[in-house]
Amino acid sequence: MISAFKVLKEQLNSFYLMMRLSMYELKIKNNNNYLGMLWEILNPAIQISVYWIVFGMGMRSNKGVDGVPFLQWLVAGIVIWFFISPAILQGSKSIYTRIKIISKMNFPLSVIPSYVIFSILYPNAILLAIIAVIFQFTEKGKISIYYLQLPYYMLAAVALVFSLSLITSTLSTIVRDVQMFVQSIMRMLFYVTPILWDPFSDTAKLPHFLKLIVQANPFTYIVEGFRDSLLSREWFFGDKIEYTLYFWGLVLVLFLIGSTLHVKLRNRFVDYL
């Protein structure tokens, strides 16, 4: 618990530095591209197009989900995955790939995963805003009071990703194979998370225990939460209150584990680097 408070204090005390580093990270990332930041929108658009053609038009014959066109249902859920997946992958290798920063600058090492995560969050927020505007020209996605949940679910995504990154960045600094393991797990989770398919529909033929496994996946809570917000379905504190408590309980456990590992081992990071 002491380690958790210590990491939280470091985030608050270094918030301004974290924001500056995240903007610098984003600038460096797109510095060599002619289209620059535009790729942060083009890449998701290309991926969505492919998934729509293969899974929507091909496998589902463009059938909707619960009365929502498949493309719109897909976009409402996948938009946050474009933050979650790269943030976890980049966060897990954020410490050992930044040897020069660690050796030349004096700041808490727990800030490194944070500013990497925020550098990925900014483009995703822009992408979300663009999608919200496009949804105003559809029947099911018009702006409503449910949109007020979007900041909450964004915060939930950041909290989960940061907690996981504390664990994976610490372990991958010590054992490089952890990074490969994280990559494999994230590929699997993309299909276990209900992004391209709906395991909770009446037509889904999954056994009950498999549905429970999908629901236990914390990313399911976030993806479905974004759909709840963008498609005006339900509140996180209504019928989902038990699911919400489960999610935050899991995030708390992951954060306690991550902060304990990080604080205990970070003085030895340079030895492994």
Side-chain angles (χ1 to χ4, degrees):
M1 186 65 73
I2 296 176
S3 298
F5 283 117
K6 187 173 185 178
V7 170
L8 281 176
K9 184 179 179 180
E10 290 172 351
Q11 305 305 303
L12 294 175
N13 292 341
S14 305
F15 184 77
Y16 177 70
L17 174 63
M18 187 167 55
M19 293 299 101
R20 289 186 59 189
L21 289 173
S22 63
M23 294 301 296
Y24 177 77
E25 181 84 8
L26 183 59
K27 181 179 179 181
I28 291 298
K29 179 182 176 182
N30 295 282
N31 194 37
N32 295 325
N33 299 327
Y34 285 109
L35 297 180
M37 281 285 294
L38 190 58
W39 278 112
E40 302 291 343
I41 307 300
L42 289 178
N43 274 329
I46 293 171
Q47 292 183 55
I48 290 172
S49 300
V50 173
Y51 294 141
W52 177 44
I53 293 172
V54 175
F55 293 94
M57 301 180 68
M59 299 180 64
R60 295 182 55 90
S61 300
N62 213 24
K63 293 180 181 178
V65 180
D66 296 330
V68 180
F70 179 80
L71 178 59
Q72 188 175 359
W73 180 86
L74 169 66
V75 170
I78 202 174
V79 59
I80 190 59
W81 189 260
F82 291 130
F83 161 70
I84 290 174
S85 181
I88 289 179
L89 292 176
Q90 294 298 319
S92 64
K93 62 180 181 179
S94 59
I95 294 179
Y96 76 78
T97 56
R98 288 162 176 79
I99 301 177
K100 294 181 180 179
I101 296 179
I102 293 175
S103 60
K104 293 182 179 180
M105 298 182 67
N106 183 23
F107 60 85
L109 296 184
S110 63
V111 171
I112 296 178
S114 298
Y115 82 73
V116 171
I117 290 170
F118 274 99
S119 71
I120 300 171
L121 180 65
Y122 301 147
N124 189 258
I126 295 174
L127 177 64
L128 177 61
I130 293 173
I131 289 173
V133 171
I134 295 174
F135 273 20
Q136 303 316 303
F137 300 95
T138 65
E139 181 180 350
K140 295 292 184 177
K142 295 186 182 300
I143 192 168
S144 68
I145 194 172
Y146 290 94
Y147 271 53
L148 295 175
Q149 295 185 119
L150 288 173
Y152 162 76
Y153 281 112
M154 188 67 79
L155 174 63
V158 171
L160 176 60
V161 168
F162 177 66
S163 299
L164 287 172
S165 294
L166 277 177
I167 299 174
T168 57
S169 64
T170 299
L171 296 179
S172 62
T173 301
I174 300 171
V175 182
R176 296 292 190 273
D177 292 8
V178 172
Q179 175 65 22
M180 302 303 296
F181 178 74
V182 171
Q183 291 179 8
S184 299
I185 291 295
M186 291 309 297
R187 292 191 191 101
M188 179 193 70
L189 283 175
F190 178 73
Y191 295 99
V192 175
T193 306
I195 296 173
L196 303 174
W197 59 300
D198 183 11
F200 308 117
S201 65
D202 296 334
T203 57
K205 298 181 181 180
L206 280 181
H208 181 65
F209 78 95
L210 287 180
K211 289 186 178 181
L212 290 178
I213 292 175
V214 173
Q215 195 167 22
N217 172 11
F219 300 125
T220 297
Y221 176 81
I222 298 173
V223 168
E224 287 297 291
F226 267 73
R227 287 198 177 109
D228 290 339
S229 304
L230 291 170
L231 301 178
S232 303
R233 299 198 307 190
E234 63 178 321
W235 295 100
F236 69 88
F237 52 79
D239 295 335
K240 293 180 65 174
I241 186 62
E242 293 182 358
Y243 198 16
T244 297
L245 292 175
Y246 159 78
F247 171 82
W248 285 108
L250 180 61
V251 169
L252 178 60
V253 170
L254 291 173
F255 178 68
L256 290 174
I257 294 174
S259 57
T260 300
L261 284 173
H262 179 84
V263 171
K264 184 177 181 180
L265 298 173
R266 65 183 176 185
N267 290 333
R268 300 169 58 189
F269 281 168
V270 176
D271 298 333
Y272 294 106
L273 296 176

